[in-house]
């Protein structure tokens, strides 16, 4: 039987014949590996749902020369207000590249207290620029991480100097393409000077190109401090000097894009360049040739390689690499959802360090996750209020869930960087309508949950009503009704409360699967990042004590217990089958 990482033992049908080696294996008559390029006979191919796979079925006597496809490596450059940020978002959404900006890296390294971050902090505290070698070291370390190696990377606005470019060249870090967004100076100046910020919603307007919808909104718009004509011209000059200095390094792979057009048209050109580049790279790495040896073992290895889930998740405490992986994974999903206009969101991540039902729960990991999300949105100019529920109940019943005790003080004393974020773009508050201020752009709620005898949902509903269309993000909520202090279930309005709790859309979900009643070994995991499907993985032991995660199936909706069990058993999916009896009840609990 399997169970999720929740304390409730969620059982599946017995897996009498299950063992780690029972993972579905490749049929020797066919090879399957990821690709975005295909060609016709004598090779057959087929497309799968959201991802493109090339299934090569060798004819008799034909062997396939296999080679692992290299992912895209992209650099993009553009002056202030050139639209670089918008194009980066579109590129990441379309091609799944890892977005790397030095500003984000600096904040992450400093807040994590790494050796590189501490060195950078010393320079910043003394008012000096961070040396090139430190910035390059941070970029190099980030590019060496597994996700960047597998998915490819998008280096945003770096390198900025000839020395930085040469350092990357010496380290053999070179992009496949260098994209430059070209916009006339007068247009850039007009874009900046004409920009206005709505302090209520955080929305950016332009007096000519994107005027506010009403006079009421227009009256409250403000100008950002760095959007004056003098400061914009100064920033442009600095950008031009930097761009000219590194142009010779990437002249052979530079592609200038006219940035003075609608964003959709600009991205169409970029999409065409990157798609052709990806097609060319794939064509070079996958070639059918006649050989005396086949490469079944190599193809099998490519098919079953690590799929992006860190291993050794039962090793506590988690390594910084594992924590950073999940912080980044959650952040990207949350950003995509907010950028798509979603306003009622929830993040559910139940790795051991973030599951309050396990004795290895670490409140510091939850606080770090909240800080990463808050700082990222603050970096985009949004005013973020981080909220922890206050004491509930009265008299002897006053209190809060144990794991939240003291968390507000922890948040207040945390290192929020030296950028003036705390108190301006980030504020700490409680859950409730009275905490919603006009200047708040969005709200991050830390583990809102019901306590025995007390229900947080009413305060939460009042807060979201007051927030209106501003995003509210719940981090690891636990909003199921609990028995009252008298031992009698709270029934008044229960259906309405549960309906409200279910109205929040999942933008991130991660849960480990165990055999029922145990916390080891991990049998698999379920992962979902907005806007993609739920992915079911199986953990497989390898020689020398190693392990990996193998993809079993994908689901449009969160899979039921029966669907998970069937996937582990390799049974065909029955869309008409519905869980009943005790299994139906347990599916509802899950």
């Amino acid at each position: 039987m399997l169970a999720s990482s929740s304390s409730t033992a969620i059982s599946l049908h017995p897996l009498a014949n299950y063992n780690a080696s029972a993972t579905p294996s490749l049929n020797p008559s066919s090879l399957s590996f990821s690709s975005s390029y295909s060609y016709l006979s004598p090779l057959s191919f087929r497309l799968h749902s959201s991802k493109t796979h090339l299934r090569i079925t060798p004819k008799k006597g034909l062997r396939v020369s296999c080679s692992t496809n290299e992912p895209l490596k992209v650099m993009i450059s553009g002056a202030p207000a050139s639209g670089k940020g918008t194009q980066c978002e579109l590129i990441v959404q379309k091609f799944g590249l890892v977005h790397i900006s030095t500003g984000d890296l600096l904040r992450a390294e400093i807040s994590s207290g790494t050796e590189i971050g501490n060195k950078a902090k010393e320079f910043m505290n003394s008012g000096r620029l961070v040396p090139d070698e430190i910035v390059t070291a941070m970029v190099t370390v980030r590019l060496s991480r597994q996700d960047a190696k597998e998915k490819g990377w998008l280096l945003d606005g770096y390198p900025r100097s000839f020395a930085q470019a040469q350092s990357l060249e010496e380290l053999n870090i070179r992009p496949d393409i260098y994209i430059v967004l070209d916009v006339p100076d007068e247009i850039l100046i007009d874009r900046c000077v004409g920009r206005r910020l709505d302090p209520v919603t955080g929305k950016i307007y332009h007096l000519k190109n994107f005027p506010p919808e009403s006079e009421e909104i227009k009256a409250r718009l403000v100008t950002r401090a760095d959007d004056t004509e003098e400061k914009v011209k100064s920033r442009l000059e600095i950008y031009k000097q930097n761009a000219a200095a590194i142009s010779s390094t990437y002249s052979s792979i530079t592609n200038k894009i006219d940035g003075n057009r609608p964003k959709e048209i600009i991205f169409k050109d970029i999409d065409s360049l990157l798609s052709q580049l990806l097609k060319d790279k794939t064509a070079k790495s996958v070639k059918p040739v006649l050989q005396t040896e086949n490469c079944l073992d190599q193809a099998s290895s490519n098919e079953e390689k690590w799929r992006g889930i860190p291993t050794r998740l039962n090793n506590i405490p988690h390594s910084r690499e594992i924590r950073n992986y999940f912080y980044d994974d959650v952040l990207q999903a949350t950003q995509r959802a907010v950028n798509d206009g979603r306003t009622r969101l929830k993040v559910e991540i139940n790795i051991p360090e973030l599951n309050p039902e396990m004795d290895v729960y670490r409140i510091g990991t939850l606080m770090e996750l909240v800080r990463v999300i808050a700082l990222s949105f603050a970096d985009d100019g949004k005013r973020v209020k981080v909220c922890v529920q206050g004491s509930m109940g009265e008299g002897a019943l006053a209190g809060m869930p144990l794991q939240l005790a003291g968390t507000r003080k922890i948040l207040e004393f945390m290192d929020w960087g030296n950028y003036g974020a705390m108190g301006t773009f980030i504020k700490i508050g409680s859950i409730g309508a009275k905490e919603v201020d006009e200047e708040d752009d969005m709200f991050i709620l830390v583990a809102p949950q019901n306590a025995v005898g007390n229900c947080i949902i009413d305060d939460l509903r009042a807060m979201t009503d007051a927030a209106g269309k501003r995003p509210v993000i719940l981090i690891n909520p636990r909003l199921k009704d609990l028995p009252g202090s008298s031992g009698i279930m709270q029934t008044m309005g229960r259906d309405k409360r549960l309906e409200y709790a279910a109205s929040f859309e999942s933008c991130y979900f991660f849960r480990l699967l165990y055999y029922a009643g145990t916390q080891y070994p991990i049998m698999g995991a379920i992962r979902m990042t907005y806007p993609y499907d739920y992915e079911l993985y199986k953990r497989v032991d390898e020689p020398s004590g190693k392990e990996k995660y193998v993809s079993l199936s994908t689901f449009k909706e969160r899979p039921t217990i029966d669907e998970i069990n069937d996937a582990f058993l390799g049974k065909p999916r029955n869309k008409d089958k519905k869980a009943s009896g005790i299994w139906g009840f347990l599916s509802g609990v899950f």
Side-chain angles (χ1 to χ4, degrees):
M1 297 182 181
L2 293 181
S4 75
S5 58
S6 171
S7 64
T8 304
I10 301 173
S11 302
L12 293 157
H13 301 303
L15 302 181
N17 297 320
Y18 170 79
N19 58 69
S21 63
T23 305
S25 59
L26 288 173
N27 187 323
S29 65
S30 65
L31 306 177
S32 176
F33 51 96
S34 296
S35 175
S36 60
Y37 176 70
S38 59
Y39 40 85
L40 300 176
S41 184
L43 305 179
S44 63
F45 68 96
R46 67 184 184 183
L47 302 180
H48 298 269
S49 61
S50 60
K51 297 180 180 178
T52 304
H53 293 267
L54 179 64
R55 179 169 296 279
I56 300 181
T57 307
K59 304 276 186 176
K60 186 174 181 180
L62 180 67
R63 296 294 183 264
V64 180
S65 176
C66 302
S67 175
T68 303
N69 296 343
E70 287 191 9
L72 285 174
K73 295 172 288 186
V74 181
M75 285 183 182
I76 186 167
S77 176
S82 63
K84 180 164 62 68
T86 298
Q87 295 305 318
C88 283
E89 290 179 5
L90 295 173
I91 291 171
V92 171
Q93 289 176 12
K94 172 65 183 290
F95 295 95
L97 306 181
V98 175
H99 184 202
I100 300 173
S101 90
T102 53
D104 292 341
L105 290 180
L106 271 171
R107 280 184 289 277
E109 295 290 338
I110 292 174
S111 64
S112 299
T114 64
E115 182 180 356
I116 294 177
N118 290 334
K119 288 182 179 179
K121 189 175 181 178
E122 292 177 9
F123 285 93
M124 296 172 69
N125 287 344
S126 62
R128 295 176 291 168
L129 291 175
V130 180
D132 284 345
E133 56 266 25
I134 292 181
V135 180
T136 301
M138 286 192 301
V139 172
T140 303
V141 169
R142 184 64 186 87
L143 291 174
S144 67
R145 285 174 56 182
Q146 194 68 26
D147 60 343
K149 290 180 178 180
E150 291 191 348
K151 300 178 182 178
W153 44 261
L154 171 63
L155 202 47
D156 179 359
Y158 186 88
R160 289 188 174 91
S161 68
F162 178 76
Q164 291 174 349
Q166 288 305 302
S167 295
L168 294 181
E169 289 287 293
E170 291 170 4
L171 293 170
N172 201 29
I173 298 174
R174 185 172 177 81
D176 300 312
I177 188 171
Y178 185 74
I179 297 173
V180 177
L181 295 179
D182 188 23
V183 182
D185 286 1
E186 60 272 16
I187 300 297
L188 294 170
I189 294 172
D190 178 70
R191 286 180 181 178
C192 290
V193 174
R195 284 193 301 204
R196 296 294 184 271
L197 171 68
D198 184 348
V200 175
T201 64
K203 195 172 182 179
I204 300 295
Y205 294 93
H206 190 279
L207 296 180
K208 296 179 182 178
N209 304 331
F210 185 47
E213 297 89 344
S214 66
E215 290 297 322
E216 178 185 356
I217 297 177
K218 184 177 181 180
R220 68 184 186 226
L221 298 182
V222 296
T223 303
R224 288 180 170 181
D226 58 351
D227 278 348
T228 63
E229 184 171 350
E230 180 181 357
K231 290 187 176 180
V232 172
K233 287 182 177 179
S234 176
R235 289 158 61 197
L236 283 177
E237 285 303 315
I238 294 174
Y239 167 75
K240 288 180 180 179
Q241 293 173 10
N242 292 336
I246 63 177
S247 60
S248 60
T249 305
Y250 303 115
S251 59
S252 61
I253 54 174
T254 296
N255 282 265
K256 282 192 175 184
I257 302 292
D258 181 3
N260 189 25
R261 297 174 296 166
K263 63 181 182 180
E264 296 82 5
I265 303 300
I266 297 172
F267 180 67
K268 186 176 180 180
D269 286 353
I270 295 176
D271 185 8
S272 178
L273 284 171
L274 297 185
S275 295
Q276 183 60 49
L277 181 61
L278 188 61
K279 183 177 180 179
D280 292 343
K281 287 167 70 73
T282 306
K284 291 178 181 179
S285 61
V286 182
K287 296 181 180 180
V289 296
L290 289 174
Q291 294 181 338
T292 57
E293 298 178 357
N294 66 38
C295 54
L296 175 60
D297 292 339
Q298 184 176 352
S300 178
S301 175
N302 290 340
E303 172 66 14
E304 298 181 356
K305 67 183 180 181
W306 181 47
R307 297 301 184 92
I309 296 180
T311 56
R312 303 302 171 193
L313 290 178
N314 264 346
N315 290 356
I316 305 298
H318 292 323
S319 67
R320 184 169 299 278
E321 182 181 13
I322 287 178
R323 293 201 302 273
N324 285 340
Y325 165 84
F326 282 109
Y327 298 160
D328 186 60
D329 210 29
V330 172
L331 175 61
Q332 290 188 36
T334 307
Q335 287 177 328
R336 288 192 295 264
V338 171
N339 291 339
D340 279 356
R342 310 293 183 178
T343 58
R344 300 293 175 262
L345 299 167
K346 61 182 175 181
V347 170
E348 298 173 273
I349 172 171
N350 284 87
I351 56 178
E353 285 192 8
L354 289 177
N355 186 345
E357 301 298 336
M358 300 181 73
D359 56 8
V360 293
Y361 177 75
R362 301 180 78 203
I363 192 65
T365 302
L366 179 63
M367 298 298 100
E368 277 194 333
L369 172 62
V370 170
R371 179 172 58 185
V372 167
I373 297 174
L375 281 175
S376 178
F377 282 105
D379 186 50
D380 290 337
K382 290 184 170 58
R383 290 176 171 83
V384 184
K385 180 161 285 184
V386 179
C387 300
V388 182
Q389 66 194 67
S391 178
M392 300 187 296
E394 298 179 358
L397 298 179
M400 67 176 63
L402 182 61
Q403 62 267 26
L404 291 180
T407 52
R408 177 159 181 164
K409 284 295 183 183
I410 294 174
L411 285 168
E412 291 172 349
F413 287 118
M414 284 176 69
D415 179 10
W416 291 90
N418 298 316
Y419 323 101
M422 176 55 71
T424 54
F425 285 96
I426 296 175
K427 293 184 179 179
I428 310 299
S430 300
I431 295 177
K434 64 180 181 180
E435 293 285 343
V436 178
D437 298 320
E438 288 187 5
E439 64 268 20
D440 297 328
D441 296 322
M442 61 186 300
F443 306 87
I444 298 176
L445 277 52
V446 182
Q449 56 195 278
N450 295 327
V452 174
N454 293 284
C455 183
I456 191 64
I457 291 180
D458 291 336
D459 288 335
L460 183 56
R461 181 191 287 114
M463 187 175 194
T464 53
D465 288 344
K469 295 183 178 180
R470 287 172 281 180
V472 178
I473 304 170
L474 313 183
I475 308 295
N476 274 9
R478 301 175 67 209
L479 301 178
K480 294 179 181 178
D481 268 10
L482 297 175
S485 56
S486 62
I488 301 174
M489 179 68 73
Q490 299 172 349
T491 55
M492 295 297 291
R494 182 172 186 268
D495 290 343
K496 289 293 184 182
R497 289 197 297 272
L498 294 180
E499 180 182 347
Y500 169 79
S503 67
F504 285 83
E505 178 182 2
S506 287
C507 66
Y508 187 86
F509 182 89
F510 187 93
R511 173 162 291 178
L512 294 172
L513 300 174
Y514 300 87
Y515 273 123
T518 71
Q519 293 178 1
Y520 190 83
I522 298 172
M523 303 310 300
I526 305 173
R527 173 179 174 269
M528 186 279 291
T529 65
Y530 178 91
Y532 307 112
D533 295 339
Y534 285 84
E535 301 170 312
L536 177 63
Y537 293 89
K538 176 180 178 180
R539 190 190 69 84
V540 178
D541 288 317
E542 291 190 307
S544 303
K546 295 182 179 180
E547 64 180 14
K548 62 183 175 183
Y549 283 86
V550 177
S551 178
L552 288 185
S553 187
T554 60
F555 303 86
K556 291 292 183 183
E557 304 293 336
R558 188 180 302 181
T560 65
I561 297 299
D562 284 342
E563 288 174 326
I564 294 172
N565 195 70
D566 288 348
F568 269 81
L569 291 171
K571 293 181 179 179
R573 193 178 303 178
N574 184 357
K575 296 182 179 180
D576 298 326
K577 181 179 179 181
K578 294 184 179 180
S580 60
I582 185 63
W583 297 112
F585 170 74
L586 290 176
S587 295
V589 173
F590 179 72

